[in-house]
Amino acid sequence: QALEVIRQLKETMQIERAHMRLRFILPVKEGKKLKERLKPLIKVIESEDFRDQLEIVCLIDPGCFREIDELIRSETKGKGTLEVLSLKDVEEGDEKLE
């Protein structure tokens, strides 16, 4: 029932799930190709470093986490890493309700 109420509230209010902040570290070989496949799943790329490895810090919708994790595991054959930096990234100016 709560999911249905949230859908109805979205029609009149601007409600959005809090984003997750992630860090990917991908091998150079798979990094470029994998980055293109990850782009549609990423909301905001905060930083990107492409030296020895491709390191990306980004914000994603929590519903995409499983798909991103599976994509990184399968494409890098265990060489890539995915780290959760924060589960709830609240934008500045948002109030925290207690």
Side-chain angles (χ1 to χ4, degrees):
Q1 290 176 345
L3 293 175
E4 182 59 35
V5 170
I6 290 171
R7 274 191 218 104
Q8 290 175 1
L9 286 173
K10 279 184 177 183
E11 293 173 7
T12 58
M13 302 172 83
Q14 189 174 359
I15 297 175
E16 190 175 311
R17 287 179 74 176
H19 298 319
M20 292 176 72
R21 177 175 279 120
L22 301 179
R23 177 187 297 139
F24 313 130
I25 299 175
L26 308 170
V28 174
K29 185 178 177 183
E30 294 92 358
K32 288 183 180 181
K33 180 179 75 171
L34 195 52
K35 180 185 170 193
E36 294 305 314
R37 293 184 63 192
L38 289 169
K39 268 187 178 180
L41 303 172
I42 296 172
K43 292 281 186 185
V44 177
I45 294 179
E46 293 184 337
S47 70
E48 187 173 340
D49 185 16
F50 207 163
R51 293 186 193 145
D52 300 334
Q53 299 176 320
L54 174 60
E55 181 178 337
I56 299 174
V57 176
C58 62
L59 299 176
I60 67 158
D61 184 80
C64 297
F65 178 78
R66 184 172 293 171
E67 185 177 352
I68 290 171
D69 183 42
E70 289 173 4
L71 187 60
I72 290 174
R73 285 179 195 224
S74 65
E75 291 295 318
T76 65
K77 297 175 182 72
K79 295 178 184 172
T81 60
L82 171 62
E83 180 182 354
V84 178
L85 300 177
S86 69
L87 293 174
K88 293 185 268 181
D89 186 66
V90 180
E91 291 183 21
E92 199 168 312
D94 289 351
E95 292 182 25
K96 188 175 181 179
L97 301 176
E98 294 182 16

